[in-house]
mmCIF file of all heavy atoms in Angstrom:
data_model
loop_
_atom_site.group_PDB
_atom_site.id
_atom_site.type_symbol
_atom_site.label_atom_id
_atom_site.label_comp_id
_atom_site.label_asym_id
_atom_site.label_seq_id
_atom_site.Cartn_x
_atom_site.Cartn_y
_atom_site.Cartn_z
ATOM 1 N N GLN Y 1 78.252 66.070 144.256
ATOM 2 C CA GLN Y 1 79.250 65.026 144.003
ATOM 3 C C GLN Y 1 78.573 63.709 143.610
ATOM 4 O O GLN Y 1 79.052 62.983 142.737
ATOM 5 C CB GLN Y 1 80.126 64.814 145.241
ATOM 6 C CG GLN Y 1 81.152 65.915 145.465
ATOM 7 C CD GLN Y 1 81.968 65.701 146.728
ATOM 8 O OE1 GLN Y 1 81.726 64.775 147.503
ATOM 9 N NE2 GLN Y 1 82.943 66.570 146.960
ATOM 10 N N LEU Y 2 77.441 63.417 144.263
ATOM 11 C CA LEU Y 2 76.708 62.187 143.949
ATOM 12 C C LEU Y 2 76.058 62.270 142.570
ATOM 13 O O LEU Y 2 76.032 61.289 141.822
ATOM 14 C CB LEU Y 2 75.668 61.908 145.033
ATOM 15 C CG LEU Y 2 76.252 61.571 146.410
ATOM 16 C CD1 LEU Y 2 75.153 61.492 147.461
ATOM 17 C CD2 LEU Y 2 77.018 60.256 146.361
ATOM 18 N N PHE Y 3 75.525 63.435 142.222
ATOM 19 C CA PHE Y 3 75.003 63.621 140.863
ATOM 20 C C PHE Y 3 76.126 63.471 139.829
ATOM 21 O O PHE Y 3 75.927 62.877 138.761
ATOM 22 C CB PHE Y 3 74.345 64.994 140.717
ATOM 23 C CG PHE Y 3 72.896 65.030 141.086
ATOM 24 C CD1 PHE Y 3 72.450 65.752 142.172
ATOM 25 C CD2 PHE Y 3 71.951 64.347 140.329
ATOM 26 C CE1 PHE Y 3 71.097 65.795 142.513
ATOM 27 C CE2 PHE Y 3 70.602 64.370 140.649
ATOM 28 C CZ PHE Y 3 70.173 65.101 141.745
ATOM 29 N N ALA Y 4 77.293 64.005 140.151
ATOM 30 C CA ALA Y 4 78.436 63.895 139.233
ATOM 31 C C ALA Y 4 78.825 62.426 139.031
ATOM 32 O O ALA Y 4 79.218 62.018 137.926
ATOM 33 C CB ALA Y 4 79.620 64.684 139.781
ATOM 34 N N LYS Y 5 78.710 61.636 140.077
ATOM 35 C CA LYS Y 5 79.024 60.206 139.988
ATOM 36 C C LYS Y 5 78.031 59.504 139.058
ATOM 37 O O LYS Y 5 78.421 58.667 138.226
ATOM 38 C CB LYS Y 5 78.973 59.585 141.388
ATOM 39 C CG LYS Y 5 79.454 58.158 141.465
ATOM 40 C CD LYS Y 5 79.484 57.701 142.929
ATOM 41 C CE LYS Y 5 79.987 56.276 143.049
ATOM 42 N NZ LYS Y 5 80.023 55.842 144.482
ATOM 43 N N ILE Y 6 76.762 59.862 139.181
ATOM 44 C CA ILE Y 6 75.736 59.314 138.287
ATOM 45 C C ILE Y 6 76.051 59.702 136.846
ATOM 46 O O ILE Y 6 75.991 58.877 135.932
ATOM 47 C CB ILE Y 6 74.337 59.834 138.699
ATOM 48 C CG1 ILE Y 6 73.933 59.246 140.055
ATOM 49 C CG2 ILE Y 6 73.295 59.494 137.628
ATOM 50 C CD1 ILE Y 6 72.696 59.894 140.658
ATOM 51 N N GLU Y 7 76.428 60.955 136.659
ATOM 52 C CA GLU Y 7 76.729 61.458 135.320
ATOM 53 C C GLU Y 7 77.915 60.722 134.697
ATOM 54 O O GLU Y 7 77.894 60.378 133.517
ATOM 55 C CB GLU Y 7 77.009 62.964 135.411
ATOM 56 C CG GLU Y 7 76.993 63.683 134.082
ATOM 57 C CD GLU Y 7 76.930 65.191 134.275
ATOM 58 O OE1 GLU Y 7 75.997 65.675 134.942
ATOM 59 O OE2 GLU Y 7 77.833 65.875 133.754
ATOM 60 N N ARG Y 8 78.952 60.473 135.502
ATOM 61 C CA ARG Y 8 80.128 59.745 134.985
ATOM 62 C C ARG Y 8 79.744 58.341 134.535
ATOM 63 O O ARG Y 8 80.216 57.852 133.499
ATOM 64 C CB ARG Y 8 81.215 59.662 136.061
ATOM 65 C CG ARG Y 8 81.964 60.960 136.282
ATOM 66 C CD ARG Y 8 83.253 60.730 137.055
ATOM 67 N NE ARG Y 8 83.007 60.128 138.363
ATOM 68 C CZ ARG Y 8 82.763 60.834 139.469
ATOM 69 N NH1 ARG Y 8 82.703 62.160 139.421
ATOM 70 N NH2 ARG Y 8 82.568 60.210 140.625
ATOM 71 N N ASN Y 9 78.887 57.679 135.294
ATOM 72 C CA ASN Y 9 78.459 56.327 134.920
ATOM 73 C C ASN Y 9 77.672 56.329 133.621
ATOM 74 O O ASN Y 9 77.771 55.397 132.814
ATOM 75 C CB ASN Y 9 77.616 55.718 136.045
ATOM 76 C CG ASN Y 9 78.466 55.250 137.214
ATOM 77 O OD1 ASN Y 9 79.590 54.785 137.026
ATOM 78 N ND2 ASN Y 9 77.952 55.380 138.420
ATOM 79 N N ILE Y 10 76.880 57.379 133.400
ATOM 80 C CA ILE Y 10 76.134 57.482 132.143
ATOM 81 C C ILE Y 10 77.083 57.742 130.973
ATOM 82 O O ILE Y 10 76.977 57.121 129.917
ATOM 83 C CB ILE Y 10 75.080 58.599 132.242
ATOM 84 C CG1 ILE Y 10 74.014 58.234 133.281
ATOM 85 C CG2 ILE Y 10 74.417 58.831 130.888
ATOM 86 C CD1 ILE Y 10 73.010 59.331 133.554
ATOM 87 N N ILE Y 11 78.024 58.666 131.168
ATOM 88 C CA ILE Y 11 78.973 59.004 130.103
ATOM 89 C C ILE Y 11 79.794 57.791 129.689
ATOM 90 O O ILE Y 11 80.107 57.598 128.504
ATOM 91 C CB ILE Y 11 79.914 60.146 130.570
ATOM 92 C CG1 ILE Y 11 79.118 61.449 130.728
ATOM 93 C CG2 ILE Y 11 81.053 60.356 129.573
ATOM 94 C CD1 ILE Y 11 79.899 62.562 131.380
ATOM 95 N N ASN Y 12 80.131 56.932 130.650
ATOM 96 C CA ASN Y 12 80.976 55.766 130.371
ATOM 97 C C ASN Y 12 80.204 54.561 129.848
ATOM 98 O O ASN Y 12 80.736 53.463 129.784
ATOM 99 C CB ASN Y 12 81.729 55.352 131.647
ATOM 100 C CG ASN Y 12 82.757 56.395 132.051
ATOM 101 O OD1 ASN Y 12 83.297 57.090 131.210
ATOM 102 N ND2 ASN Y 12 82.997 56.499 133.348
ATOM 103 N N GLU Y 13 78.943 54.784 129.485
ATOM 104 C CA GLU Y 13 78.093 53.669 129.061
ATOM 105 C C GLU Y 13 78.747 52.814 127.978
ATOM 106 O O GLU Y 13 78.757 51.591 128.052
ATOM 107 C CB GLU Y 13 76.757 54.205 128.549
ATOM 108 C CG GLU Y 13 75.852 53.108 128.006
ATOM 109 C CD GLU Y 13 74.622 53.674 127.313
ATOM 110 O OE1 GLU Y 13 74.543 54.897 127.139
ATOM 111 O OE2 GLU Y 13 73.768 52.864 126.946
ATOM 112 N N SER Y 14 79.313 53.443 126.965
ATOM 113 C CA SER Y 14 79.847 52.698 125.827
ATOM 114 C C SER Y 14 81.119 51.933 126.182
ATOM 115 O O SER Y 14 81.537 51.054 125.453
ATOM 116 C CB SER Y 14 80.122 53.656 124.659
ATOM 117 O OG SER Y 14 81.074 54.634 125.054
ATOM 118 N N LYS Y 15 81.737 52.280 127.322
ATOM 119 C CA LYS Y 15 83.001 51.660 127.690
ATOM 120 C C LYS Y 15 82.835 50.545 128.721
ATOM 121 O O LYS Y 15 83.777 49.844 129.028
ATOM 122 C CB LYS Y 15 83.949 52.726 128.269
ATOM 123 C CG LYS Y 15 84.225 53.885 127.314
ATOM 124 C CD LYS Y 15 85.045 54.957 128.002
ATOM 125 C CE LYS Y 15 85.236 56.159 127.097
ATOM 126 N NZ LYS Y 15 85.972 57.249 127.778
ATOM 127 N N ASP Y 16 81.632 50.405 129.262
ATOM 128 C CA ASP Y 16 81.443 49.472 130.362
ATOM 129 C C ASP Y 16 80.107 48.758 130.213
ATOM 130 O O ASP Y 16 79.049 49.384 130.264
ATOM 131 C CB ASP Y 16 81.494 50.247 131.688
ATOM 132 C CG ASP Y 16 81.611 49.321 132.888
ATOM 133 O OD1 ASP Y 16 81.251 48.133 132.761
ATOM 134 O OD2 ASP Y 16 82.051 49.798 133.939
ATOM 135 N N ASN Y 17 80.154 47.440 130.054
ATOM 136 C CA ASN Y 17 78.930 46.664 129.882
ATOM 137 C C ASN Y 17 78.111 46.576 131.162
ATOM 138 O O ASN Y 17 76.953 46.185 131.142
ATOM 139 C CB ASN Y 17 79.266 45.253 129.389
ATOM 140 C CG ASN Y 17 79.841 45.253 127.991
ATOM 141 O OD1 ASN Y 17 79.480 46.105 127.179
ATOM 142 N ND2 ASN Y 17 80.725 44.314 127.711
ATOM 143 N N ASN Y 18 78.715 46.907 132.288
ATOM 144 C CA ASN Y 18 78.010 46.820 133.566
ATOM 145 C C ASN Y 18 77.458 48.175 134.000
ATOM 146 O O ASN Y 18 77.222 48.413 135.180
ATOM 147 C CB ASN Y 18 78.965 46.302 134.652
ATOM 148 C CG ASN Y 18 79.455 44.901 134.343
ATOM 149 O OD1 ASN Y 18 78.674 44.037 133.966
ATOM 150 N ND2 ASN Y 18 80.751 44.681 134.487
ATOM 151 N N ILE Y 19 77.200 49.062 133.035
ATOM 152 C CA ILE Y 19 76.796 50.428 133.345
ATOM 153 C C ILE Y 19 75.542 50.483 134.203
ATOM 154 O O ILE Y 19 75.466 51.268 135.146
ATOM 155 C CB ILE Y 19 76.598 51.243 132.047
ATOM 156 C CG1 ILE Y 19 76.161 52.687 132.362
ATOM 157 C CG2 ILE Y 19 75.595 50.592 131.127
ATOM 158 C CD1 ILE Y 19 77.143 53.478 133.145
ATOM 159 N N MET Y 20 74.529 49.670 133.909
ATOM 160 C CA MET Y 20 73.279 49.782 134.648
ATOM 161 C C MET Y 20 73.453 49.399 136.113
ATOM 162 O O MET Y 20 72.815 49.992 136.987
ATOM 163 C CB MET Y 20 72.195 48.916 134.001
ATOM 164 C CG MET Y 20 71.597 49.511 132.746
ATOM 165 S SD MET Y 20 70.991 51.226 132.938
ATOM 166 C CE MET Y 20 69.673 51.001 134.115
ATOM 167 N N VAL Y 21 74.330 48.435 136.390
ATOM 168 C CA VAL Y 21 74.599 48.073 137.781
ATOM 169 C C VAL Y 21 75.261 49.242 138.499
ATOM 170 O O VAL Y 21 74.855 49.646 139.601
ATOM 171 C CB VAL Y 21 75.491 46.819 137.875
ATOM 172 C CG1 VAL Y 21 75.865 46.537 139.329
ATOM 173 C CG2 VAL Y 21 74.774 45.615 137.274
ATOM 174 N N LYS Y 22 76.290 49.804 137.887
ATOM 175 C CA LYS Y 22 76.995 50.932 138.489
ATOM 176 C C LYS Y 22 76.072 52.142 138.614
ATOM 177 O O LYS Y 22 76.115 52.868 139.613
ATOM 178 C CB LYS Y 22 78.208 51.301 137.641
ATOM 179 C CG LYS Y 22 79.313 50.248 137.655
ATOM 180 C CD LYS Y 22 80.499 50.726 136.829
ATOM 181 C CE LYS Y 22 81.644 49.719 136.880
ATOM 182 N NZ LYS Y 22 82.814 50.176 136.103
ATOM 183 N N LEU Y 23 75.248 52.357 137.614
ATOM 184 C CA LEU Y 23 74.335 53.494 137.625
ATOM 185 C C LEU Y 23 73.317 53.354 138.753
ATOM 186 O O LEU Y 23 73.055 54.304 139.498
ATOM 187 C CB LEU Y 23 73.632 53.595 136.273
ATOM 188 C CG LEU Y 23 72.711 54.795 136.051
ATOM 189 C CD1 LEU Y 23 73.431 56.110 136.311
ATOM 190 C CD2 LEU Y 23 72.151 54.762 134.641
ATOM 191 N N LYS Y 24 72.760 52.161 138.897
ATOM 192 C CA LYS Y 24 71.786 51.936 139.970
ATOM 193 C C LYS Y 24 72.426 52.115 141.339
ATOM 194 O O LYS Y 24 71.817 52.712 142.244
ATOM 195 C CB LYS Y 24 71.179 50.533 139.854
ATOM 196 C CG LYS Y 24 70.166 50.384 138.731
ATOM 197 C CD LYS Y 24 69.569 48.988 138.724
ATOM 198 C CE LYS Y 24 68.552 48.821 137.615
ATOM 199 N NZ LYS Y 24 67.974 47.462 137.597
ATOM 200 N N LEU Y 25 73.630 51.633 141.509
ATOM 201 C CA LEU Y 25 74.314 51.773 142.796
ATOM 202 C C LEU Y 25 74.561 53.248 143.127
ATOM 203 O O LEU Y 25 74.410 53.671 144.283
ATOM 204 C CB LEU Y 25 75.637 51.007 142.785
ATOM 205 C CG LEU Y 25 75.535 49.480 142.829
ATOM 206 C CD1 LEU Y 25 76.906 48.841 142.644
ATOM 207 C CD2 LEU Y 25 74.909 49.010 144.146
ATOM 208 N N SER Y 26 74.932 54.037 142.129
ATOM 209 C CA SER Y 26 75.176 55.460 142.382
ATOM 210 C C SER Y 26 73.877 56.192 142.709
ATOM 211 O O SER Y 26 73.865 57.107 143.536
ATOM 212 C CB SER Y 26 75.879 56.109 141.183
ATOM 213 O OG SER Y 26 75.115 55.982 140.004
ATOM 214 N N ILE Y 27 72.770 55.775 142.089
ATOM 215 C CA ILE Y 27 71.469 56.383 142.413
ATOM 216 C C ILE Y 27 71.027 55.981 143.813
ATOM 217 O O ILE Y 27 70.495 56.804 144.572
ATOM 218 C CB ILE Y 27 70.408 55.991 141.361
ATOM 219 C CG1 ILE Y 27 70.758 56.617 140.007
ATOM 220 C CG2 ILE Y 27 69.020 56.447 141.806
ATOM 221 C CD1 ILE Y 27 69.889 56.146 138.866
ATOM 222 N N LEU Y 28 71.257 54.720 144.186
ATOM 223 C CA LEU Y 28 70.921 54.270 145.536
ATOM 224 C C LEU Y 28 71.690 55.067 146.588
ATOM 225 O O LEU Y 28 71.144 55.426 147.642
ATOM 226 C CB LEU Y 28 71.223 52.770 145.691
ATOM 227 C CG LEU Y 28 70.312 51.813 144.926
ATOM 228 C CD1 LEU Y 28 70.802 50.373 145.088
ATOM 229 C CD2 LEU Y 28 68.871 51.919 145.417
ATOM 230 N N GLU Y 29 72.949 55.352 146.300
ATOM 231 C CA GLU Y 29 73.757 56.148 147.230
ATOM 232 C C GLU Y 29 73.159 57.546 147.385
ATOM 233 O O GLU Y 29 73.105 58.095 148.495
ATOM 234 C CB GLU Y 29 75.200 56.236 146.722
ATOM 235 C CG GLU Y 29 76.155 56.875 147.702
ATOM 236 C CD GLU Y 29 77.596 56.879 147.215
ATOM 237 O OE1 GLU Y 29 77.862 56.362 146.099
ATOM 238 O OE2 GLU Y 29 78.457 57.414 147.946
ATOM 239 N N LEU Y 30 72.689 58.129 146.284
ATOM 240 C CA LEU Y 30 72.048 59.436 146.342
ATOM 241 C C LEU Y 30 70.763 59.371 147.165
ATOM 242 O O LEU Y 30 70.502 60.249 148.002
ATOM 243 C CB LEU Y 30 71.745 59.934 144.929
ATOM 244 C CG LEU Y 30 70.938 61.236 144.826
ATOM 245 C CD1 LEU Y 30 71.712 62.409 145.434
ATOM 246 C CD2 LEU Y 30 70.566 61.537 143.375
ATOM 247 N N LEU Y 31 69.953 58.327 146.960
ATOM 248 C CA LEU Y 31 68.687 58.198 147.685
ATOM 249 C C LEU Y 31 68.913 58.053 149.187
ATOM 250 O O LEU Y 31 68.186 58.641 149.996
ATOM 251 C CB LEU Y 31 67.898 57.003 147.147
ATOM 252 C CG LEU Y 31 67.302 57.163 145.739
ATOM 253 C CD1 LEU Y 31 66.679 55.858 145.272
ATOM 254 C CD2 LEU Y 31 66.267 58.283 145.713
ATOM 255 N N VAL Y 32 69.916 57.271 149.572
ATOM 256 C CA VAL Y 32 70.226 57.103 151.000
ATOM 257 C C VAL Y 32 70.640 58.445 151.608
ATOM 258 O O VAL Y 32 70.217 58.803 152.720
ATOM 259 C CB VAL Y 32 71.333 56.047 151.211
ATOM 260 C CG1 VAL Y 32 71.794 56.038 152.668
ATOM 261 C CG2 VAL Y 32 70.827 54.663 150.824
ATOM 262 N N THR Y 33 71.438 59.199 150.885
ATOM 263 C CA THR Y 33 71.877 60.510 151.369
ATOM 264 C C THR Y 33 70.689 61.456 151.526
ATOM 265 O O THR Y 33 70.574 62.169 152.532
ATOM 266 C CB THR Y 33 72.903 61.116 150.397
ATOM 267 O OG1 THR Y 33 74.040 60.256 150.331
ATOM 268 C CG2 THR Y 33 73.346 62.502 150.852
ATOM 269 N N ILE Y 34 69.791 61.454 150.550
ATOM 270 C CA ILE Y 34 68.596 62.298 150.629
ATOM 271 C C ILE Y 34 67.739 61.903 151.827
ATOM 272 O O ILE Y 34 67.232 62.761 152.569
ATOM 273 C CB ILE Y 34 67.786 62.200 149.324
ATOM 274 C CG1 ILE Y 34 68.525 62.933 148.199
ATOM 275 C CG2 ILE Y 34 66.387 62.775 149.493
ATOM 276 C CD1 ILE Y 34 67.922 62.737 146.827
ATOM 277 N N ASN Y 35 67.576 60.603 152.048
ATOM 278 C CA ASN Y 35 66.805 60.129 153.199
ATOM 279 C C ASN Y 35 67.418 60.617 154.508
ATOM 280 O O ASN Y 35 66.705 61.038 155.430
ATOM 281 C CB ASN Y 35 66.720 58.604 153.196
ATOM 282 C CG ASN Y 35 65.864 58.067 152.064
ATOM 283 O OD1 ASN Y 35 65.089 58.810 151.460
ATOM 284 N ND2 ASN Y 35 66.001 56.795 151.763
ATOM 285 N N GLU Y 36 68.733 60.560 154.590
ATOM 286 C CA GLU Y 36 69.421 61.023 155.801
ATOM 287 C C GLU Y 36 69.179 62.515 156.034
ATOM 288 O O GLU Y 36 68.940 62.944 157.164
ATOM 289 C CB GLU Y 36 70.925 60.759 155.677
ATOM 290 C CG GLU Y 36 71.308 59.291 155.777
ATOM 291 C CD GLU Y 36 72.794 59.067 155.533
ATOM 292 O OE1 GLU Y 36 73.469 60.008 155.065
ATOM 293 O OE2 GLU Y 36 73.272 57.961 155.809
ATOM 294 N N LEU Y 37 69.245 63.300 154.947
ATOM 295 C CA LEU Y 37 69.048 64.745 155.070
ATOM 296 C C LEU Y 37 67.631 65.063 155.527
ATOM 297 O O LEU Y 37 67.417 65.931 156.388
ATOM 298 C CB LEU Y 37 69.339 65.429 153.730
ATOM 299 C CG LEU Y 37 70.801 65.411 153.271
ATOM 300 C CD1 LEU Y 37 70.918 65.919 151.837
ATOM 301 C CD2 LEU Y 37 71.665 66.256 154.197
ATOM 302 N N TYR Y 38 66.634 64.377 154.960
ATOM 303 C CA TYR Y 38 65.252 64.604 155.355
ATOM 304 C C TYR Y 38 65.008 64.165 156.794
ATOM 305 O O TYR Y 38 64.341 64.862 157.571
ATOM 306 C CB TYR Y 38 64.295 63.867 154.410
ATOM 307 C CG TYR Y 38 63.708 64.767 153.352
ATOM 308 C CD1 TYR Y 38 64.381 64.995 152.163
ATOM 309 C CD2 TYR Y 38 62.498 65.409 153.543
ATOM 310 C CE1 TYR Y 38 63.864 65.829 151.191
ATOM 311 C CE2 TYR Y 38 61.964 66.243 152.584
ATOM 312 C CZ TYR Y 38 62.653 66.452 151.403
ATOM 313 O OH TYR Y 38 62.134 67.290 150.444
ATOM 314 N N GLU Y 39 65.538 62.998 157.167
ATOM 315 C CA GLU Y 39 65.358 62.499 158.534
ATOM 316 C C GLU Y 39 65.941 63.478 159.546
ATOM 317 O O GLU Y 39 65.323 63.774 160.574
ATOM 318 C CB GLU Y 39 66.017 61.129 158.686
ATOM 319 C CG GLU Y 39 65.236 59.998 158.033
ATOM 320 C CD GLU Y 39 66.017 58.692 158.026
ATOM 321 O OE1 GLU Y 39 67.181 58.695 158.478
ATOM 322 O OE2 GLU Y 39 65.457 57.684 157.568
ATOM 323 N N PHE Y 40 67.131 63.991 159.256
ATOM 324 C CA PHE Y 40 67.784 64.912 160.176
ATOM 325 C C PHE Y 40 66.968 66.194 160.336
ATOM 326 O O PHE Y 40 66.738 66.666 161.458
ATOM 327 C CB PHE Y 40 69.186 65.259 159.663
ATOM 328 C CG PHE Y 40 69.898 66.287 160.501
ATOM 329 C CD1 PHE Y 40 70.495 65.938 161.700
ATOM 330 C CD2 PHE Y 40 69.938 67.616 160.094
ATOM 331 C CE1 PHE Y 40 71.137 66.894 162.485
ATOM 332 C CE2 PHE Y 40 70.580 68.569 160.869
ATOM 333 C CZ PHE Y 40 71.183 68.205 162.066
ATOM 334 N N LEU Y 41 66.508 66.752 159.211
ATOM 335 C CA LEU Y 41 65.784 68.009 159.280
ATOM 336 C C LEU Y 41 64.432 67.837 159.965
ATOM 337 O O LEU Y 41 63.996 68.692 160.745
ATOM 338 C CB LEU Y 41 65.606 68.583 157.881
ATOM 339 C CG LEU Y 41 65.141 70.036 157.807
ATOM 340 C CD1 LEU Y 41 66.070 70.946 158.609
ATOM 341 C CD2 LEU Y 41 65.075 70.512 156.376
ATOM 342 N N ILE Y 42 63.751 66.732 159.701
ATOM 343 C CA ILE Y 42 62.456 66.482 160.324
ATOM 344 C C ILE Y 42 62.601 66.319 161.835
ATOM 345 O O ILE Y 42 61.823 66.863 162.622
ATOM 346 C CB ILE Y 42 61.780 65.246 159.694
ATOM 347 C CG1 ILE Y 42 61.291 65.599 158.278
ATOM 348 C CG2 ILE Y 42 60.610 64.772 160.544
ATOM 349 C CD1 ILE Y 42 60.799 64.432 157.484
ATOM 350 N N LYS Y 43 63.632 65.583 162.272
ATOM 351 C CA LYS Y 43 63.872 65.426 163.705
ATOM 352 C C LYS Y 43 64.237 66.760 164.344
ATOM 353 O O LYS Y 43 63.795 67.083 165.444
ATOM 354 C CB LYS Y 43 64.996 64.407 163.937
ATOM 355 C CG LYS Y 43 64.592 62.968 163.673
ATOM 356 C CD LYS Y 43 65.772 62.028 163.843
ATOM 357 C CE LYS Y 43 65.367 60.600 163.510
ATOM 358 N NZ LYS Y 43 66.524 59.667 163.583
ATOM 359 N N GLU Y 44 65.023 67.533 163.628
ATOM 360 C CA GLU Y 44 65.433 68.842 164.146
ATOM 361 C C GLU Y 44 64.227 69.753 164.321
ATOM 362 O O GLU Y 44 64.080 70.445 165.328
ATOM 363 C CB GLU Y 44 66.440 69.469 163.173
ATOM 364 C CG GLU Y 44 67.082 70.746 163.694
ATOM 365 C CD GLU Y 44 68.085 71.296 162.702
ATOM 366 O OE1 GLU Y 44 67.658 71.681 161.601
ATOM 367 O OE2 GLU Y 44 69.282 71.317 163.015
#
């Protein structure tokens, strides 16, 4: 779902001048989720 969000922001590039801000925010959300998954598994 997070990858799909990144993809939507890329596809909408021509329609939105703020694409890079939205794109970076969606990537940050993915990175935080990945960090959570790794932290949980390592602790487990």
Side-chain angles (χ1 to χ4, degrees):
Q1 285 178 355
L2 294 172
F3 272 114
K5 188 174 181 180
I6 292 169
E7 195 166 304
R8 285 196 301 272
N9 284 326
I10 294 174
I11 292 171
N12 292 330
E13 176 189 7
S14 60
K15 302 174 184 177
D16 193 338
N17 293 328
N18 297 315
I19 180 62
M20 283 308 296
V21 175
K22 292 182 177 181
L23 185 54
K24 285 183 180 180
L25 288 173
S26 59
I27 293 172
L28 290 175
E29 188 177 359
L30 174 63
L31 289 174
V32 171
T33 299
I34 288 172
N35 291 343
E36 288 175 348
L37 292 171
Y38 261 86
E39 285 172 357
F40 176 78
L41 193 55
I42 288 171
K43 287 177 183 176
E44 188 179 64

